Amino acid sequence: RQSSSDRISHMAIDIGGSLIKLVYFSRSSGGSGGGGGSRRGGADGERNEAICDGRLHFARFETSKIDVCLEFIKSKLQLGGSDSNGESKSSSRYKSVIKATGGGAYKFTDLFKEKLGISLDKEDEMDCLVSGANFLLKAVHQEAFTCLNGQKEFVRIDHSDLYPYLLVNIGSGVSMIKVDGDGVFERVSGTSVGGGTFWGMGKLLTKCSSFDDLLEMSHKGNNRVIDMLVGDIYGGTDYAKVGLTSTTIASSFGKAISDQKELADYKSEDLARSLLRMISNNIGQISYLNALRFGLKRIFFGGFFIRGHEYTMDTIAVAVDYWSKGEAKAMFLQHEGFLGVLGAFMTYEK
Ligand code: ADP
């Protein structure tokens, strides 16, 4: 719970298919800002950063547990609830209207009004994603990094040479956006095989208890148990003529065809690993093809699917590197899943 001397102003929310992202600004007159990375009041991954005489707070919740999020907002804004007309008892505008983006801003409009007396001031999802990404890439030192063989390396972004780039946001689904400048962009592609697919199929295939559990399992697993490799088809050798090594995945989950095994005979860790590999590879490959289509050399990956997970980033980066023969670069963002909500937050400036 925040100190009573904290004054919260300006809150923005991004309600996605899987997760709700929240950003709010607080000014502390008592100096009790609190450290980053803590977990309080039902929010996952809550953290904050010092900015302009105050702190910018980041929090996320599962969309299916929206009630937890509503309670969190209620306590943070110290709302007393709403009267019978659904009007907030608070006279302050920042407590009665908040900037909102993502599909859930439409889906849950009435719920916010009824439960909190708050109106959601809607901002376009793609506009927010792009302005959030542009802001982070220009304003935040050490925002973008490459990740190859587990080595994370921050990239210096030259502001005058940022555009054009491909922004790939891996949320529940995946959007691929060609960005040419501030507010100048086009959604050029996307795929429904994204983070929601990993989580949904992972839930069905394994005994995971949460997303973090599924990620952790994928970390320990071995995909070669289930994936059919080039070597499995060629009797252990490479298919050198077309540049395929024996360890290249020829067919994700393909070994399950000939293995005389039931689902329960496979280890959850191995299933999670194959699934993560399949989805990450596929996204890396489609991203590269779109970068090629428009002659883009840089691809920035955002969205909460990544979760700073080295193996995911490595798979995506290797796919981009492999298919582009080293021409295109995959880069990742420190604030990965918060692009959209940051963009919504920034519309307060307008
Ligand atoms: P959306 O706006 O579509 O919800 P996000 O960028 O928030 O997209 O990413 C959602 C995806 O992130 C999920 O589908 C899942 O793959 C992944 N994810 C990361 N952390 C979590 C978590 N704690 N709970 C659920 N999904 C998570």
Side-chain angles (χ1 to χ4, degrees), residues 14-21 44 60 62-63 125 169-173 194-199 211-212 303-307 337:
D14 173 4
I15 312 178
S18 305
L19 298 173
I20 300 174
K21 281 73 62 177
D44 290 325
R60 64 181 149 75
E62 288 180 21
T63 307
E125 189 174 342
N169 193 63
I170 318 176
S172 308
T197 318
F198 177 59
W199 196 18
F211 183 84
D212 287 333
F304 261 131
F305 167 68
I306 297 170
R307 284 294 297 278

Side-chain angles (χ1 to χ4, degrees), residues 44-253:
D44 290 325
E46 199 191 346
R47 62 177 199 222
N48 62 65
E49 287 166 22
I51 182 171
C52 310
D53 300 330
R55 283 190 173 271
L56 203 53
H57 301 253
F58 299 82
R60 64 181 149 75
F61 306 82
E62 288 180 21
T63 307
S64 59
K65 296 176 187 155
I66 193 164
D67 285 345
V68 180
C69 174
L70 292 172
E71 275 308 309
F72 182 88
I73 294 174
K74 193 171 165 182
S75 74
K76 289 293 166 192
L77 295 184
Q78 296 170 350
L79 298 173
S82 54
D83 63 22
S84 52
N85 301 321
E87 293 296 322
S88 170
K89 285 176 188 164
S90 167
S91 56
S92 170
R93 182 170 158 77
Y94 81 76
K95 285 186 179 179
S96 56
V97 183
I98 60 178
K99 293 285 188 182
T101 190
Y106 295 86
K107 186 172 171 185
F108 298 113
T109 300
D110 294 345
L111 189 71
F112 273 77
K113 194 76 193 163
E114 277 163 28
K115 292 265 171 91
L116 301 179
I118 284 178
S119 303
L120 300 179
D121 187 4
K122 297 171 194 61
E123 293 290 336
D124 179 76
E125 189 174 342
M126 295 293 143
D127 284 339
C128 289
L129 269 179
V130 171
S131 60
N134 282 345
F135 165 75
L136 288 167
L137 288 168
K138 286 186 204 158
V140 180
H141 181 58
Q142 298 207 319
E143 177 62 31
F145 57 94
T146 55
C147 187
L148 269 179
N149 304 318
Q151 289 295 313
K152 185 171 170 177
E153 214 167 286
F154 283 101
V155 182
R156 273 175 72 101
I157 303 289
D158 178 355
H159 294 188
S160 61
D161 189 30
L162 173 61
Y163 310 112
Y165 67 85
L166 186 71
L167 176 63
V168 179
N169 193 63
I170 318 176
S172 308
V174 186
S175 281
M176 297 178 185
I177 307 165
K178 175 175 169 275
V179 183
D180 287 299
D182 269 329
V184 189
F185 64 88
E186 186 189 350
R187 185 183 189 275
V188 292
S189 194
T191 163
S192 64
V193 182
T197 318
F198 177 59
W199 196 18
M201 288 191 74
K203 255 183 167 169
L204 293 175
L205 291 175
T206 74
K207 296 175 196 72
C208 68
S209 57
S210 67
F211 183 84
D212 287 333
D213 190 26
L214 182 63
L215 257 194
E216 182 61 32
M217 285 198 297
S218 73
H219 193 69
K220 295 180 193 145
N222 177 5
N223 70 293
R224 294 179 189 185
V225 175
I226 304 158
D227 291 344
M228 188 188 282
L229 309 183
V230 168
D232 294 324
I233 304 171
Y234 277 75
T237 60
D238 298 344
Y239 178 13
K241 196 175 153 197
V242 292
L244 293 173
T245 63
S246 64
T247 53
T248 305
I249 299 172
S251 173
S252 292
F253 287 84

